[in-house]
Amino acid sequence: MRGAGWALFPGYAAYLWPWFAHSPDRAAPRLAATPGAETMIGALCVLAVVAVFLGLLWRRSRVGPALALALFPLVPPLVLASTRGYGLFGERHIYLPSAGVVWAAALAGPAWAARLGRHGGRIVVAVAGVLVLGGALETLRIIPAYHDDETMYRTMTAREPGNPTGFVGLADELTRRGRLDESLTMLARAQALDPALASVFVGRARVAAQRQDWDGMLAAAGHALTLDRDLQSAWLLRGLALMRLRRLDEAGRDLERLRQEYPGHPEVGAVWGQYLIERGRPAEALPVLAAAAGLLAEEPSLWDAIGVASGQTGRWEDARAAFQHTVALSPGYLAGWLRLAAACQRLGDAPGRNRALTQADALPNGPPAVAAFQRQFGTSPR
């Protein structure tokens, strides 16, 4: 909701409290029953802080610059949320402002101590000590939650079961690991919390891509775009689905627009490179894909495309290396193992071919695919 961005400000301030339940991406705390009332509360808080800042500036107080450091970095996300409707909320936005708050508190400490009377200094030091020690202990307590992405997202879902963002993030991580049924379960939970969340359908499109269900992928990406027309990831998935369905002219139009809008973006480059392969231009695709790989080293589909383009240009050593990278990142990817076996076959690497076929044979739908490979290349059963 546009105009409600100022309601985020009190939530940002909550991150200054050491025992606030931190996570990488939280839902903004509810301040009132209606968005309009929340906006009013947030706007009043912002006005109060600005008034204090202007007063300090008028008095040329040393606290003024410190408060500016606390306030001004929050202005861009608040303005963006209020004008564009994007609710950017997370503890990362308070990192720099928190330094300003500590600076201001250090400058104001002597004045507070004087007002508290005889034991004022001890009281201020004791309160500061509790906050510093408490913050340090709380930081140590929550570090295990950041062990890896799956742990982090599971922590988010446990701390905030009403926030769909954690379930979507967990689903994406499960999809990357090939645990597709679990991923769909998480996406269903997120959709139940927010049926209009476009990222849920982006997640469904990614699951469909893993299953090579191109029609399902196209439908899910299209649904995401009906909810958020500007969602880049949905446009990329739609373009990829159109390519797989051999609707290349439509895919090309979508991808050309994305290239103009996001020049040099690695994910756009990765899909554009795959499009060039589909158009029979693998030599042009390779430098595009290599540039994208520098920033997306953990994306298996990118290495798969590099392997395909390398093979089509006769660079079978590079193809084998790329396919090895692909299956290391996505061990449940049947086509990747078969392509690795083909690259090994081209290079006369019979042990490598047999190892790849053994892995492929153990996957769902693997035995008939391996049998077809053996008929195609005239290899004997392993």
Side-chain angles (χ1 to χ4, degrees), residues 6-343:
W6 302 112
L8 298 175
F9 182 80
Y12 286 144
Y15 277 117
L16 297 171
W17 182 244
W19 295 276
F20 185 63
H22 290 234
S23 68
D25 192 355
R26 287 180 53 86
R30 293 297 303 270
L31 305 174
T34 64
E38 287 190 314
T39 300
M40 182 62 68
I41 293 171
L44 289 173
C45 290
V46 172
L47 288 174
V49 174
V50 170
V52 171
F53 169 70
L54 292 176
L56 293 170
L57 194 64
W58 178 261
R59 293 162 45 197
R60 297 185 179 181
S61 170
R62 292 185 305 161
V63 180
L67 190 57
L69 180 60
L71 178 62
F72 292 163
L74 295 178
V75 171
L78 292 176
V79 171
L80 185 60
S82 293
T83 58
R84 299 292 299 277
Y86 299 145
L88 302 175
F89 186 77
E91 61 191 23
R92 63 186 66 84
H93 299 298
I94 201 68
Y95 290 162
L96 184 57
S98 66
V101 171
V102 173
W103 181 12
L107 291 173
W112 292 339
R115 290 185 179 182
L116 291 173
R118 180 181 174 185
H119 300 292
R122 295 177 181 176
I123 294 173
V124 169
V125 170
V127 171
V130 168
L131 293 175
V132 170
L133 182 60
L137 293 175
E138 183 66 9
T139 298
L140 293 174
R141 188 187 70 82
I142 65 175
I143 282 176
Y146 295 86
H147 177 266
D148 55 37
D149 285 347
E150 182 177 350
T151 303
M152 179 183 72
Y153 285 120
R154 288 196 183 279
T155 301
M156 289 173 63
T157 59
R159 289 177 179 168
E160 287 196 302
N163 182 4
T165 303
F167 292 103
V168 172
L170 178 56
D172 188 50
E173 182 62 21
L174 293 172
T175 298
R176 291 178 186 276
R177 299 187 182 198
R179 294 153 61 182
L180 304 182
D181 290 336
E182 293 178 70
S183 177
L184 289 175
T185 299
M186 295 300 104
L187 290 170
R189 293 190 65 176
Q191 187 175 356
L193 292 168
D194 186 353
L197 189 62
S199 57
V200 168
F201 296 94
V202 168
R204 293 188 184 280
R206 286 175 176 149
V207 170
Q210 287 272 14
R211 290 177 168 167
Q212 299 185 33
D213 175 11
W214 310 125
D215 288 313
M217 180 182 179
L218 182 61
H223 198 149
L225 289 170
T226 63
L227 297 170
D228 186 348
R229 196 67 184 168
D230 297 322
L231 195 57
Q232 181 211 57
S233 56
W235 282 110
L236 283 173
L237 289 165
R238 171 186 152 87
L240 194 56
L242 288 170
M243 276 194 291
R244 296 296 182 254
L245 292 168
R246 306 301 301 169
R247 293 161 60 176
L248 298 182
D249 290 340
E250 295 173 76
R253 286 193 293 271
D254 285 354
L255 293 174
E256 283 285 8
R257 184 183 63 78
L258 284 171
R259 290 180 71 219
Q260 292 176 8
E261 190 172 353
Y262 303 99
H265 193 286
E267 291 183 0
V268 175
V271 180
W272 177 248
Q274 294 175 63
Y275 173 77
L276 291 174
I277 293 173
E278 294 293 338
R279 284 296 193 185
R281 296 151 60 185
E284 293 178 55
L286 274 173
V288 175
L289 294 168
L295 296 172
L296 296 174
E298 302 300 313
E299 176 51 54
S301 65
L302 180 54
W303 290 104
D304 188 46
I306 291 173
V308 170
S310 297
Q312 289 179 358
T313 54
R315 304 175 186 181
W316 289 107
E317 290 280 1
D318 292 342
R320 177 172 61 181
F323 291 133
Q324 287 172 337
H325 207 149
T326 301
V327 296
L329 293 169
S330 183
Y333 181 41
L334 176 59
W337 288 108
L338 295 174
R339 288 170 177 166
L340 175 57

